[in-house]
Amino acid sequence: AEVAHNDAVTLRPGDIGGGRTAADHLGRSLYAGDKYFKGSMRSFSLWNRALSADEVRDLPGNQTEITSVDLDSLKVPAVIDSAAGSVLLPVKPGTDVRRLAPRFGVAGTSRVEPADGSVHDFSSPVTYRVRAADHSVRTWTVRAEVMGSPSLPGYNADPNIVRFGDTYYIYATSDGYPGWSGSTFRTWSSKDLVHWTEHPVILDLGPDVTWADSRAWAPTAVEKNGKYYFYFCADAKIGVAVSDKPAGPFVDSGKPLIAANPDGGQAIDPAVFTDDDGQSYLYWGNGNAYVVPLNPDMTSYDPAKIKRLTGLDGFREGLFMHKRNGVYYLSWSIDDTRSEDYRVGYATGTSPFMDGLRNHGVILSKDPSLGILGTGHHSVIQVPGTDDWYIAYHRFAIPGGDGTHREVTIDRLRYTSDGLIQKVVPTLAGIQPLRTEATTASH
């Protein structure tokens, strides 16, 4: 006998084997071959849509699930981890977490205990239970965190954080373009690392650069002898532009500083480090890592002095060098920026060329419980006169970000007593403003 449903699908004896039924196969993905189904689709009159979120939630087996949260003070949607039985409420700055009344999306026949929409103190986690009509119960842990990040609004990536005078600057990739095809660079300035002011475009590949039109990535800037040098990627080459001011506008040199690598890989992701003796070094690479001393003009170098850096565990891209107490710390990104596992590893050495290299593992990685994914392409800054350090990096934008929709945030970077870098704790909260002369005076 024929098995049919309103002429939508017709299955005949022998079409399905192995003791399986039509119910095992209707609606199966068209992206995977189905060796059992040999019939043909004749009409899609009743199979023309996916189930709604409410319909999925009401299915047997889902009736103790929390699938959404309604709370006016949420900055972004709640982070629901079904496997862990946890819910995170990322709330707006200024929210009193001691008096929150979330309402939870559960099956229509289920109930929430304590009462849905009742007020609770979320300064510590609160336990909820979802009780289904069949009396099954699941316990959920719900916590709130004030979300002070990202540091910069909108989509930005590859942050290079530097300090000129008494002001901090972040130079970043303009993100959100298919294939990372943006063509402009911007910078932001701050006195306290929290309140940032955006400046007009500092370099536009279209009118400002003759040798490249798109893929404006991974900038970095440095000051030398009263001039500001801006190193940038464009069409997988590295250029340099110069300005009298850290916020530009910058004037391109007219040609790539690095058009190709000696050993292959993309010539991208420049970073500049100036040692205590005043000598500056350029680091770059993707797949292969390089360093070369820059000439005093900061716009040229001796090709014979390029050194390929080897032995960097997991190196992919995004080199950055900093120095503390005579130790050289070289860090880099691992994996692909489109991967949620994009992360940062590091090594120590005894010179800018990483003599005596010692790998020390990963110092920054994702935290799915916070919705933080794809943490990488970073830079590090020290607050002058202190041993306070910070790391700027990008992550997938929250919510819904990916490898071309990223956002910039800043967290603390700390060291152990023996000079190793502690694993960075990625946060939604971000950091507290630095105390500046202005904030000190106001107190």
Side-chain angles (χ1 to χ4, degrees):
E2 155 179 300
V3 180
H5 184 86
N6 196 34
D7 288 332
V9 181
T10 299
L11 303 174
R12 292 181 171 80
D15 288 345
I16 297 178
R20 303 180 189 275
T21 68
D24 294 323
H25 299 278
L26 296 180
R28 282 189 57 157
S29 170
L30 297 179
Y31 293 100
D34 188 336
K35 65 181 180 180
Y36 300 105
F37 178 55
K38 301 176 183 177
S40 61
M41 295 287 182
R42 297 200 316 208
S43 168
F44 288 89
S45 58
L46 291 183
W47 307 95
N48 61 354
R49 67 174 180 84
L51 296 179
S52 69
D54 288 345
E55 289 170 327
V56 171
R57 187 172 57 205
D58 289 341
L59 291 174
N62 290 347
Q63 296 181 8
T64 57
E65 293 291 310
I66 291 175
T67 59
S68 63
V69 179
D70 183 14
L71 181 65
D72 288 343
S73 56
L74 286 176
K75 183 175 180 180
V76 299
V79 179
I80 301 172
D81 187 338
S82 179
S86 66
V87 179
L88 175 72
L89 308 177
V91 296
K92 302 170 187 174
T95 298
D96 184 357
V97 298
R98 297 169 299 177
R99 293 187 56 80
L100 297 180
R103 301 189 68 87
F104 300 96
V106 298
T109 56
S110 301
R111 71 175 187 269
V112 177
E113 304 167 351
D116 205 17
S118 55
V119 176
H120 296 279
D121 181 355
F122 282 86
S123 56
S124 58
V126 177
T127 298
Y128 283 83
R129 290 169 296 280
V130 179
R131 189 178 299 275
D134 63 2
H135 304 297
S136 59
V137 177
R138 186 172 187 194
T139 299
W140 293 79
T141 301
V142 183
R143 60 193 177 102
E145 182 166 346
V146 176
M147 186 174 179
S149 62
S151 301
L152 306 181
Y155 296 137
N156 299 282
D158 312 328
N160 174 244
I161 188 168
V162 294
R163 179 180 168 115
F164 298 131
D166 63 354
T167 304
Y168 296 90
Y169 290 84
I170 289 179
Y171 300 84
T173 299
S174 298
D175 210 17
Y177 300 94
W180 309 286
S181 58
S183 62
T184 59
F185 290 104
R186 290 178 172 83
T187 189
W188 291 257
S189 63
S190 173
K191 299 288 188 180
D192 63 6
L193 293 181
V194 170
H195 302 95
W196 294 90
T197 299
E198 183 177 353
H199 297 271
V201 170
I202 60 175
L203 189 72
D204 185 336
L205 298 186
D208 300 336
V209 177
T210 59
W211 49 270
D213 295 315
S214 70
R215 296 189 289 169
W217 307 339
T220 190
V222 66
E223 184 272 336
K224 184 67 71 76
N225 299 324
K227 295 284 187 181
Y228 296 88
Y229 297 88
F230 180 74
Y231 302 83
F232 61 95
C233 303
D235 286 340
K237 301 177 179 65
I238 294 174
V240 58
V242 186
S243 177
D244 293 326
K245 298 179 292 185
F250 286 84
V251 177
D252 180 53
S253 67
K255 62 181 180 180
L257 179 63
I258 298 175
N261 293 332
D263 308 296
Q266 295 185 94
I268 63 172
D269 295 358
V272 175
F273 165 73
T274 301
D275 209 349
D276 300 334
D277 61 3
Q279 174 63 57
S280 295
Y281 299 83
L282 176 67
Y283 297 81
W284 79 95
N286 172 279
N288 294 322
Y290 302 94
V291 60
V292 69
L294 287 167
N295 290 333
D297 63 8
M298 299 296 286
T299 62
S300 65
Y301 59 90
D302 180 351
K305 295 182 179 180
I306 293 176
K307 178 181 178 181
R308 180 178 171 186
L309 299 171
T310 59
L312 311 181
D313 285 353
F315 170 75
R316 177 63 175 268
E317 59 194 12
L319 290 166
F320 188 84
M321 172 67 81
H322 72 280
K323 186 178 182 181
R324 176 182 180 267
N325 295 339
V327 177
Y328 296 84
Y329 296 80
L330 184 65
S331 42
W332 58 87
S333 293
I334 300 168
D335 209 333
D336 189 293
T337 191
R338 292 166 292 190
S339 167
E340 68 174 49
D341 293 317
Y342 199 53
R343 58 200 185 275
V344 175
Y346 88 106
T348 54
T350 58
S351 78
F353 295 103
M354 292 303 289
D355 297 311
L357 181 145
R358 295 180 62 189
N359 283 286
H360 300 287
V362 170
I363 55 167
L364 175 63
S365 57
K366 66 182 180 180
D367 185 346
S369 71
L370 298 177
I372 296 174
L373 306 173
T375 52
H377 205 122
H378 66 296
S379 54
V380 174
I381 193 75
Q382 179 186 19
V383 178
T386 75
D387 196 30
D388 294 337
W389 296 78
Y390 294 86
I391 182 169
Y393 60 95
H394 72 234
R395 66 191 183 203
F396 286 5
I398 302 174
D402 55 29
T404 55
H405 297 82
R406 299 161 293 180
E407 61 189 13
V408 167
T409 191
I410 301 173
D411 278 309
R412 288 296 303 269
L413 184 80
R414 293 181 171 91
Y415 298 84
T416 65
S417 59
D418 56 358
L420 298 180
I421 299 176
Q422 296 182 20
K423 191 161 186 179
V424 175
V425 178
T427 71
L428 293 179
I431 62 174
Q432 294 299 308
L434 298 182
R435 292 181 62 85
T436 63
E437 292 184 7
T439 57
T440 302
S442 66
H443 287 79

